[in-house]
Amino acid sequence: MSDGPALRALREDDLPFLERLSTDPDALGPFEWPGFTDVRRNRRRWEEDGYITPTSGMVAVTDAEDTVVGMVVWKSEGRGVPTGVTYEIGIALLPEHRGRGLGTKAQQLLIDYLFDHTTANRVEATTNGENYAEQRALEKAGFTREGLMRGRSFIGGRYHDTIMYGLLRADARPES
């Protein structure tokens, strides 16, 4: 088994991990916590489609022991282009697993998955302007910083700038 992270579909025994994301403000951290959400919706969504549809998905990020340390998500973005050409991705790692490069590697695995299994030509990601760790992770994963959107998000009682990153299928990217 690899010593780096792996991606796998969510299982029923992963639902407590998802519940933690809905109930523990520290789990998502200062850049992502949206407030408390209905923990029952996690089970309903998992039973409905396992968090994977033709245009979006969420999968677990696991360590070498198959313990869930986070999750990655993707969704097809329309914005005037056909479905499946552009995907937006996101990641959440539990705080006890941050700072070890797992996020960069997990995002590289997701990029490889999207380019290998979809018609994606572009993968994009946004992050809080103060989330320097995620900015470094995206750049290490091969993304190019494309712009700053001022005051685009509202978290923790204030507005935050958002940074946009993009990666094209033809762009050079590190080995995952």
Side-chain angles (χ1 to χ4, degrees), residues 12 29 50 53 67 74 85 88 91 123 127 139:
E12 186 171 15
T53 73
T67 301
W74 67 94
V85 172
E88 182 177 358
I91 186 168
V123 176
T127 190
E139 290 166 5

Side-chain angles (χ1 to χ4, degrees), residues 159-172:
Y159 293 97
H160 297 266
D161 294 342
T162 299
I163 312 255
M164 170 66 81
Y165 284 86
L167 177 67
L168 299 179
R169 183 181 286 270
D171 290 344

Side-chain angles (χ1 to χ4, degrees), residues 40-104:
R40 296 168 301 179
R41 80 172 184 178
N42 296 318
R43 175 165 292 281
R44 289 191 303 264
R45 174 72 195 271
W46 182 81
E47 288 175 351
E48 179 183 321
D49 60 22
Y51 280 92
I52 298 176
T53 73
T55 58
S56 68
M58 177 194 308
V59 295
V61 177
T62 62
D63 65 12
E65 289 78 39
D66 198 40
T67 301
V68 177
V69 300
M71 54 83 160
V72 291
V73 297
W74 67 94
K75 64 180 176 179
S76 180
E77 288 296 318
R79 296 188 203 151
V81 297
T83 300
V85 172
T86 300
Y87 284 83
E88 182 177 358
I89 67 167
I91 186 168
L93 289 179
L94 294 173
E96 58 269 26
H97 299 286
R98 295 181 193 145
R100 301 191 328 240
L102 296 174
T104 299

Side-chain angles (χ1 to χ4, degrees), residues 2-7 61 72 91 93 100-112 137-138 140-141 175-176:
S2 165
D3 60 350
L7 304 182
V61 177
V72 291
I91 186 168
L93 289 179
R100 301 191 328 240
L102 296 174
T104 299
K105 292 175 186 169
Q107 290 176 112
Q108 288 173 321
L109 291 171
L110 181 56
I111 292 161
D112 290 345
L138 289 168
K140 287 179 184 176
E175 293 291 321
S176 51

Side-chain angles (χ1 to χ4, degrees), residues 133-148:
E134 175 60 359
Q135 291 172 43
R136 282 190 304 276
L138 289 168
E139 290 166 5
K140 287 179 184 176
F143 282 87
T144 299
R145 181 179 169 147
E146 296 181 334
L148 171 72

